[in-house]
Amino acid sequence: SQTIHQWPATLVQPVGSPLSLECTVEGTSNPNLYWYRQAAGRGLQLLFYSVGIGQISSEVPQNLSASRPQDRQFILSSKKLLLSDSGFYLCAWSGQGETGELFFGEGSRLTVL
Amino acid sequence: KNQVEQSPQSLIILEGKNCTLQCNYTVSPFSNLRWYKQDTGRGPVSLTIMTFSENTKSNRRYTATLDADTKQSSLHITASQLSDSASYICVVSDPGGYNKLIFGAGTRLAVHP
């Protein structure tokens, strides 16, 4: 069966420090991978998605970047965190095709102080 | 602009009671609509998917309806349990492809004993 792992679960970082959130998927190959951010009282916002190794699409201009060094690995990064980067980050995967179900990781709670 | 609006924002019911959550969308053309359940601090999990031709679909105590003409969906929960306490998120497929989805802000349901 397929599983998705995301870590760390919680993170408290000072402003200006770097960030690295990692996500891996097991039990499937060539998945579509996504990073979402969830703000309180608002819908999930798509940050990045990837349909293959080295292929990254950014949905909104921001202080974050994403990379996909391996087929089932997706990394969310920042060189210098801002206060506004605080939030709940979710990694997700889906099979190929436009109507595939999204399978989410457990989420990472980032607090920037 | 493609939007998904959910109501109510929050709801409190007593254990054993029924409730209905609403979702209105403006996404066009329409591909599918999903309801997700998100426990606090966890990733969302899909409950059901509704395609254009489906009017009603049941999954245990959850029944989803879809009216593609009025662009409305509902999620009815029967005989609520304490474990139903969660946020319920309505998600509509964006015609932009690659599983780009429009998320509602969710309804936060609290089931009290």
Side-chain angles (χ1 to χ4, degrees):
Chain A
S1 63
Q2 301 90 352
T3 57
I4 178 169
H5 303 284
Q6 181 182 345
W7 70 94
T10 59
L11 198 60
V12 180
Q13 293 285 101
V15 170
S17 64
L19 170 73
S20 180
L21 300 180
E22 189 164 343
C23 174
T24 60
V25 180
E26 297 177 357
T28 187
S29 59
N30 197 27
N32 292 335
L33 295 173
Y34 311 82
W35 279 110
Y36 285 90
R37 178 166 54 202
Q38 187 175 34
R42 302 185 66 179
L44 272 69
Q45 179 187 35
L46 179 63
L47 301 176
F48 301 96
Y49 71 94
S50 171
V51 299
I53 296 174
Q55 295 180 307
I56 307 294
S57 295
S58 174
E59 288 299 296
V60 294
Q62 58 199 308
N63 185 44
L64 303 170
S65 62
S67 62
R68 183 171 180 174
Q70 300 181 43
D71 180 45
R72 291 170 291 174
Q73 183 183 27
F74 207 23
I75 298 172
L76 184 67
S77 305
S78 174
K79 293 182 178 179
K80 292 184 178 181
L81 284 169
L82 306 172
L83 288 174
S84 57
D85 291 325
S86 294
F88 191 56
Y89 290 84
L90 287 159
C91 180
W93 74 272
S94 72
Q96 295 299 318
E98 296 185 7
T99 59
E101 177 181 350
L102 278 179
F103 298 91
F104 288 89
E106 291 299 295
S108 298
R109 173 73 60 188
L110 171 65
T111 302
V112 183
L113 301 176
Chain B
K1 181 179 178 182
N2 289 331
Q3 289 183 317
V4 175
E5 296 185 351
Q6 294 187 242
S7 62
Q9 287 187 335
S10 61
L11 183 63
I12 299 174
I13 61 174
L14 294 177
E15 186 178 12
K17 297 297 184 182
N18 304 335
C19 67
T20 299
L21 314 179
Q22 300 291 341
C23 174
N24 297 336
Y25 62 93
T26 60
V27 179
S28 183
F30 172 83
S31 177
N32 61 67
L33 181 150
R34 282 192 173 88
W35 284 93
Y36 283 81
K37 177 186 179 185
Q38 184 178 22
D39 293 321
T40 301
R42 308 289 293 275
V45 176
S46 178
L47 291 175
T48 186
I49 176 174
M50 305 291 290
T51 59
F52 185 85
S53 60
E54 295 176 309
N55 299 119
T56 302
K57 182 178 286 187
S58 293
N59 176 9
R60 293 178 294 177
R61 294 179 296 103
Y62 301 105
T63 299
T65 67
L66 175 65
D67 186 333
D69 292 331
T70 62
K71 293 184 170 57
Q72 295 179 326
S73 177
S74 67
L75 181 68
H76 184 76
I77 303 176
T78 304
S80 61
Q81 300 177 356
L82 298 179
S83 59
D84 292 331
S85 296
S87 288
Y88 291 84
I89 302 172
C90 176
V91 186
V92 181
S93 178
D94 184 294
Y98 288 115
N99 225 22
K100 294 173 67 174
L101 307 171
I102 308 298
F103 286 78
T107 292
R108 182 173 293 279
L109 173 65
V111 180
H112 290 181

